[in-house]
């Protein structure tokens, strides 16, 4: 039977391990500080920011939410980021995306001081990742590595296939796997013969955002499968088809009006993989835990450099 890679459990372990570090920082009057910039009324972004701030508060960190209006300009955002860069009580700045159209998101992300870039998106930190130098790593990829390590999934010498080449998941997780001596193939929407490539993978990472797109044909029997996708199914017939009429999923749909599914066919992955992340409860919970870890590390670095 396949091992379920339980993201909730690993998240809780990571959070527990952070608590004594936060206590030491607090004792040195240097409680980690996280600032989240949330522009306008984007409901999904509001939910993400709320849970990030809630987690930081539960852990005893200082956090604050800054909410410029939807009409904010690039210049106003740059001024805000510059103020946060200068504040000694702030160790981590996260600018929740997407930003409104009139704001130049690239300029804003470039303006965040690299040592406060707890999302690991700044080109300086991306460069550190490529070069294998220390620095904050993008949170979802770092969470995937934590999950693989926690379950002792061998990486060195293994074939890893990453489907998806985004800057926030596909590319950074490919580099992290490469640094751990996996032989990595990165695939995308133009990759011919995708199923055959995926079937070579001892470690398959899917980050494409297409509901249940990869089925048994894409999975090598016994592979470790990491499903990053978070897709909302809003039609009952899709839930019935993808989950093979599972009464549990259909009743969840009837209650909530939607059900989450990853990029892998959930039944096929459970039958064929050696280990896999469920959706929800796999990769998702780790993203916030790694954001907290990056903020604590930033605070420790800053304290050490005082
Ligand atoms: P993007 O949309 O930025 O990138 C998707 C990638 O998938 C692109 O490289 C695209 O290829 C590729 N792709 C799309 N369709 C196919 C296909 N049919 N076959 C092969 N490749 C394909 O997505 P993200 O990386 O931002 O997110 C991916 C998924 O992960 C989403 O469901 C997102 O919600 C989820 N996610 C979950 C997180 C978590 O915490 N659990 C965090 C971040 C994301 P091309 O480049 O050629 O267009």
């Amino acid at each position: 039977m396949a091992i379920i890679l339980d993201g909730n459990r690993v998240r809780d372990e990571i959070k527990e391990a952070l608590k004594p570090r936060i206590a030491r920082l607090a004792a040195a009057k240097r409680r980690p500080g996280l600032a989240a910039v949330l522009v306008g009324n984007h409901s999904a972004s509001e939910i993400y920011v709320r849970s990030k701030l809630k987690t930081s508060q539960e852990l005893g960190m200082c956090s604050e939410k800054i909410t410029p209006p939807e009409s904010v300009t690039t210049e106003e955002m740059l001024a805000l980021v510059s103020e946060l860069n200068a504040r000694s009580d702030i160790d981590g700045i996260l600018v929740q995306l997407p930003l409104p159209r009139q704001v130049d998101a690239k300029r804003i992300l470039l303006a965040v001081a690299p040592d406060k870039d707890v999302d690991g998106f700044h080109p300086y930190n991306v460069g550190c990742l490529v070069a294998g130098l220390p620095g904050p790593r993008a949170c979802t990829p770092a969470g995937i590595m934590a999950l693989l390590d926690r379950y002792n999934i061998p990486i060195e010498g293994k074939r890893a296939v990453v489907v998806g080449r985004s800057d926030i998941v596909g590319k950074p997780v490919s580099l992290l796997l490469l640094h751990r001596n996996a032989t990595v193939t990165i695939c995308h929407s133009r990759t011919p013969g995708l199923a055959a490539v995926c079937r070579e993978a001892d470690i398959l990472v899917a980050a494409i955002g297409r509901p249940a797109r990869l089925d048994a044909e894409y999975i090598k029997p016994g592979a470790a499968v990491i499903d990053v996708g978070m897709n909302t199914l809003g039609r009952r017939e899709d839930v019935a088809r993808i989950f093979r009429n599972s009464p549990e999923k259909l009743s969840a749909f009837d209650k909530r009006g939607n059900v989450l599914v990853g990029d892998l066919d959930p039944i096929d992955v459970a039958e064929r993989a050696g280990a896999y992340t469920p959706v929800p409860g796999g990769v998702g919970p780790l993203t916030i835990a790694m954001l907290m870890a990056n903020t604590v590390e930033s605070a420790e670095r800053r304290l050490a450099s005082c």
Side-chain angles (χ1 to χ4, degrees):
M1 207 158 112
I3 297 165
I4 296 177
L5 305 173
D6 182 349
N8 288 320
R9 188 170 145 192
V10 178
R11 171 202 57 201
D12 291 345
E13 289 171 5
I14 292 170
K15 281 166 59 178
E16 277 310 306
L18 289 176
K19 284 181 185 167
R21 292 168 62 185
I22 294 169
R24 275 196 293 276
L25 285 159
K29 305 236 173 315
R30 202 52 199 78
R31 204 177 278 280
L34 177 66
V37 182
L38 171 67
V39 180
N41 307 310
H42 194 274
S43 61
S45 298
E46 266 173 40
I47 295 169
Y48 292 142
V49 167
R50 198 181 312 139
S51 49
K52 288 169 185 176
L53 295 183
K54 186 168 165 261
T55 306
S56 67
Q57 281 151 11
E58 279 165 12
L59 286 172
M61 296 163 54
C62 296
S63 58
E64 67 186 78
K65 182 165 88 170
I66 298 145
T67 53
E70 184 77 31
S71 58
V72 71
T73 64
T74 300
E75 297 310 321
E76 286 163 345
M77 282 293 287
L78 287 171
L80 173 58
V81 168
S82 150
E83 216 175 280
L84 293 171
N85 283 343
R87 273 177 57 182
S88 60
D89 59 330
I90 295 295
D91 303 293
I93 302 170
L94 71 92
V95 180
Q96 187 65 44
L97 301 175
L99 291 172
R101 277 220 184 128
Q102 76 278 6
V103 177
D104 184 340
K106 284 205 171 124
R107 273 184 77 196
I108 306 303
L109 294 181
L110 263 176
V112 173
D115 65 335
K116 294 190 177 187
D117 164 42
V118 280
D119 272 327
F121 293 162
H122 192 286
Y124 177 85
N125 291 322
V126 176
C128 289
L129 167 63
V130 173
L133 296 170
R137 305 299 190 221
C139 299
T140 304
I144 293 171
M145 300 308 287
L147 200 54
L148 291 171
D149 285 341
R150 168 64 186 76
Y151 282 90
N152 295 317
I153 307 284
I155 300 173
E156 177 153 341
K158 297 296 175 187
R159 282 296 308 270
V161 173
V162 177
V163 193
R165 54 176 163 179
S166 71
D167 291 341
I168 62 167
V169 187
K171 282 181 203 159
V173 78
S174 303
L175 285 159
L176 290 172
L177 289 163
L178 180 67
H179 288 317
R180 295 283 298 276
N181 298 320
T183 300
V184 184
T185 305
I186 307 173
C187 302
H188 44 79
S189 65
R190 318 282 168 84
T191 302
L194 182 62
V197 180
C198 291
R199 271 202 311 276
E200 288 178 9
D202 303 306
I203 300 170
L204 175 64
V205 181
I208 59 177
R210 302 280 181 274
R213 171 74 180 70
L214 310 182
D215 62 14
E217 289 294 292
Y218 294 73
I219 306 166
K220 174 178 176 175
V225 180
I226 305 294
D227 192 348
V228 187
M230 297 225 289
N231 309 295
T232 305
L233 297 176
R235 295 185 344 166
R236 202 173 193 277
E237 58 267 37
D238 291 337
V239 178
R241 177 176 49 81
I242 290 173
F243 290 97
R244 324 289 201 271
N245 291 313
S246 151
E248 193 191 310
K249 290 291 176 183
L250 285 169
S251 109
F253 178 85
D254 292 338
K255 262 190 223 141
R256 291 200 306 267
N258 62 63
V259 160
L260 267 189
V261 72
D263 292 337
L264 269 297
D265 181 296
I267 312 294
D268 287 2
V269 75
E271 283 176 4
R272 218 168 147 88
Y276 70 98
T277 54
V279 177
V283 174
L286 289 163
T287 301
I288 294 183
M290 299 320 287
L291 178 74
M292 300 302 125
N294 281 348
T295 308
V296 170
E297 259 163 49
S298 168
E300 287 171 342
R301 251 194 333 267
R302 299 159 72 72
L303 178 64
S305 69
C306 278

